[in-house]
Amino acid sequence: MGNKAKSMGLVGLGVVAGVALTVQVSAWAQKGEASPLPLDELRQLADVFGLIKSDYVVPVEDKKLLSDAIGGMVAALDPHSVYLDQKSYREMRESVQGKFVGVGIEVAAEDGYVKIVSPIEDSPAYRAGIKAGDLITRIDNVPVKGLSIDEAIKKMRGKPGSKVTLTIARRGEDRPWVVPVTREEIRVLSVKAKMVEPGYAWVRISQFQEATLDELATKTAALYAENPNIKGLVLDLRNDPGGLLPGAIGVSTAFLPKEELIVSTKGQLSDSNQSYYGRREFYAPRGADPLVKLPAALKTVPMVVLVNGGSASASEIVAGALQDYKRAIVMGSQTFGKGSVQTLRPLSADTAIKLTTARYYTPKGRPIQASGIVPDMLVQETAEGDGLNALRVREVDLQRHLTGENEKPGAAPKDARDSAEQKQRALALLKNRKPLELGGKDDFQLAQALNHFKGLPVKVAQPEAVEVTSPAPKELPGTETKPPELKGSKK
């Protein structure tokens, strides 16, 4: 148990969607069975280092050369492995605490530009009118083409009160527009909750942070104090890029019977092969147990979980667990497919590498990597189509992504969302449409979730709109517990 608790660590927020992160300070010492070092190749690397030092047109510092060599070697593995220098390491630690200084956007790389996955609610970018799907082409008039996503992020970070100018290209618009944004400390409240109709609650988790479980307990307790007879609860994980692994385990445990298997990992090292259960040691190893404050009714209230292409990593863990145990109906669009574990390997007191070390599996053994979670009910973003979700980049679309178990290496991603006709329809609909307010009166997917609770017809997507790539559930070896039937919801 001690080793498992030590290796749980963090699921940090990645630049693409969300990353599972474990902390093992003595990692190198644990690799006694590593292969011998390739001396010939290392000599070649040393030769290249020497040639650059002696022959390059201008002097280059040793530290820069070595840092860049490490960064390039790690980045070439997959989109989520990365070298963290002093600044990046500090920013990573800040982000999992739910605060950082910047403009407040979640981003991904697309065609050499920076694509907005989602503006963080109430952030400077959100107030400036930046929308999901926008492309950043310049930062302070410097083209982002050719910059890595980490370099672009660094340019947008800075001191509170300082300004950064972003050049934005929006699909459907003829010209880019320039918007100055004032940086500020972004404090992200991870949980929102309200009654959307009498008897029906909406709980949104925007990302999984250190305070998520406390916020969930406080806000759901307040809902039940004022509305003791809640008939249905919608757990909204749309556009949730991930966060802390203990938070994902705790949120799943809040709605499931105690001590159920929540997620497992498989990798090359023995420490990468772990199973995580709904126990305090996995979701709150230090301090008080936040789940003791939860209303008991959360274990049985009928549930719908809303997901989309922006739901990744920790949010996929929660959706997959609730789906496997038939505790909730999962509704929306196929999720991002970020099902790999990144382990934080410290190199010094203030530098580290974030290295992909394992894959995630749902309680019934379904791999999340590249496949994502396929909803029980495929419901598009609007009544007219899938909106921005139809234009999203998913894990399977990323270059060098870790191949899914059911994916052929090197195979071109086949995704009906990428059809030209569907993109044109989405762009036409988005051009004059106001931004979607999740949980608002015009939230089509939320309305379909309420229809499901009430036994009314649910408008599901046409079969050709989404390609299902997730395999059928299978039993994990040694797992004999049969998932309970979904309680209280109407088919």
Side-chain angles (χ1 to χ4, degrees):
M1 182 183 79
N3 287 338
K4 289 184 181 180
K6 180 180 72 175
S7 351
M8 282 191 50
L10 310 170
V11 179
L13 293 177
V15 296
V16 176
V19 263
L21 198 62
T22 36
V23 178
Q24 295 175 324
V25 176
S26 57
W28 187 255
Q30 297 171 10
K31 295 188 180 69
E33 300 178 1
S35 302
L37 293 175
L39 297 181
D40 289 342
E41 287 77 8
L42 288 174
R43 287 192 189 98
Q44 191 175 50
L45 178 62
D47 290 342
V48 172
F49 179 90
L51 284 170
I52 294 173
K53 290 292 293 180
S54 63
D55 295 7
Y56 189 62
V57 63
V58 295
V60 185
E61 292 182 359
D62 292 352
K63 184 176 182 180
K64 173 176 171 54
L65 276 177
L66 293 172
S67 294
D68 289 348
I70 295 170
M73 180 166 51
V74 176
L77 297 172
D78 65 72
H80 307 297
S81 293
V82 65
Y83 169 64
L84 300 172
D85 59 16
Q86 295 180 2
K87 184 178 180 182
S88 299
Y89 197 15
R90 182 179 66 252
E91 290 171 351
M92 184 275 295
R93 287 179 292 190
E94 289 174 351
S95 70
V96 299
Q97 295 171 348
K99 63 179 183 179
F100 61 91
V101 176
V103 299
I105 49 177
E106 297 155 10
V107 297
E110 181 176 293
D111 298 330
Y113 297 108
V114 176
K115 181 178 180 178
I116 309 297
V117 174
S118 178
I120 297 173
E121 296 169 20
D122 303 322
S123 69
Y126 183 90
R127 295 192 296 270
I130 294 174
K131 300 178 182 179
D134 287 347
L135 294 177
I136 299 176
T137 60
R138 290 173 176 264
I139 302 172
D140 285 333
N141 207 34
V142 176
V144 301
K145 197 88 169 179
L147 296 179
S148 71
I149 192 71
D150 286 337
E151 289 171 332
I153 288 173
K154 288 177 182 178
K155 286 184 174 295
M156 289 185 282
R157 295 286 176 91
K159 296 181 179 179
S162 62
K163 288 188 176 181
V164 59
T165 300
L166 305 179
T167 303
I168 304 291
R170 178 167 295 167
R171 297 181 190 273
E173 299 289 339
D174 295 332
R175 297 180 179 178
W177 55 289
V178 178
V179 53
V181 184
T182 301
R183 299 180 180 98
E184 62 183 51
E185 183 171 276
I186 308 297
R187 291 183 175 272
V188 184
L189 293 177
S190 61
V191 181
K192 292 184 178 181
K194 65 179 179 179
M195 300 300 295
V196 289
E197 285 187 12
Y200 299 103
W202 174 78
V203 176
R204 168 156 173 74
I205 300 178
S206 59
Q207 61 189 57
F208 290 82
Q209 303 172 352
E210 291 178 351
T212 295
L213 293 184
D214 284 317
E215 291 179 26
L216 179 68
T218 299
K219 293 185 178 182
T220 54
L223 283 181
Y224 271 93
E226 296 181 7
N227 308 271
N229 299 313
I230 294 177
K231 296 182 288 186
L233 184 146
V234 177
L235 179 61
D236 193 343
L237 301 178
R238 290 172 295 177
N239 300 331
D240 182 333
L244 296 172
L245 176 58
I249 296 170
V251 169
S252 302
T253 303
F255 301 103
L256 290 170
K258 288 184 177 180
E259 301 199 0
E260 295 284 6
L261 175 66
I262 304 300
V263 66
S264 62
T265 62
K266 296 178 186 177
Q268 182 179 179
L269 295 175
S270 58
D271 280 354
S272 298
N273 300 309
Q274 302 282 5
S275 295
Y276 300 100
Y277 296 85
R279 302 172 189 158
R280 180 181 171 182
E281 68 202 66
F282 293 119
Y283 63 79
R286 298 179 298 276
D289 184 352
L291 299 191
V292 298
K293 299 181 288 185
L294 287 171
L298 286 183
K299 299 287 186 183
T300 56
V301 62
M303 287 184 66
V304 168
V305 178
L306 292 179
V307 296
N308 64 7
S311 306
S313 194
S315 55
E316 293 176 289
I317 291 172
V318 174
L322 297 179
Q323 186 181 55
D324 272 7
Y325 289 111
K326 299 184 180 180
R327 175 63 186 90
I329 291 292
V330 178
M331 184 181 292
S333 305
Q334 189 170 354
T335 61
F336 184 84
K338 171 63 181 64
S340 60
V341 181
Q342 278 68 50
T343 300
L344 193 67
R345 306 292 200 195
L347 300 177
S348 67
D350 50 11
T351 63
I353 61 170
K354 191 169 59 179
L355 190 67
T356 299
T357 57
R359 290 179 170 92
Y360 276 125
Y361 296 82
T362 71
K364 290 186 72 68
R366 291 184 294 159
I368 295 173
Q369 176 60 22
S371 298
I373 301 298
V374 177
D376 302 299
M377 291 185 175
L378 296 167
V379 175
Q380 295 181 328
E381 189 174 281
T382 71
E384 295 79 22
D386 215 15
L388 286 172
N389 202 59
L391 306 175
R392 289 184 186 277
V393 174
R394 294 177 56 243
E395 175 79 11
V396 74
D397 302 315
L398 301 177
Q399 292 184 353
R400 302 188 311 275
H401 71 272
L402 181 65
T403 306
E405 288 192 3
N406 298 287
E407 179 188 1
K408 294 181 181 180
K414 296 179 180 179
D415 197 325
R417 296 170 306 127
D418 288 335
S419 69
E421 182 181 350
Q422 189 173 10
K423 281 191 174 182
Q424 289 302 316
R425 287 200 304 266
L427 290 172
L429 289 170
L430 287 171
K431 189 170 184 179
N432 298 314
R433 202 192 77 187
K434 64 181 181 180
L436 172 65
E437 179 189 353
L438 298 182
K441 60 183 179 63
D442 296 324
D443 188 337
F444 177 76
Q445 290 174 322
L446 176 58
Q448 302 314 299
L450 297 178
N451 285 345
H452 172 73
F453 287 137
K454 300 171 185 177
L456 300 174
V458 173
K459 186 176 180 181
V460 297
Q462 296 299 316
E464 66 271 18
V466 178
E467 179 180 342
V468 175
T469 59
S470 182
K474 61 182 179 181
E475 293 292 341
L476 277 174
T479 303
E480 300 177 355
T481 304
K482 182 180 179 181
E485 292 297 316
L486 180 64
K487 299 178 181 179
S489 83
K490 300 178 180 179
K491 297 282 186 179

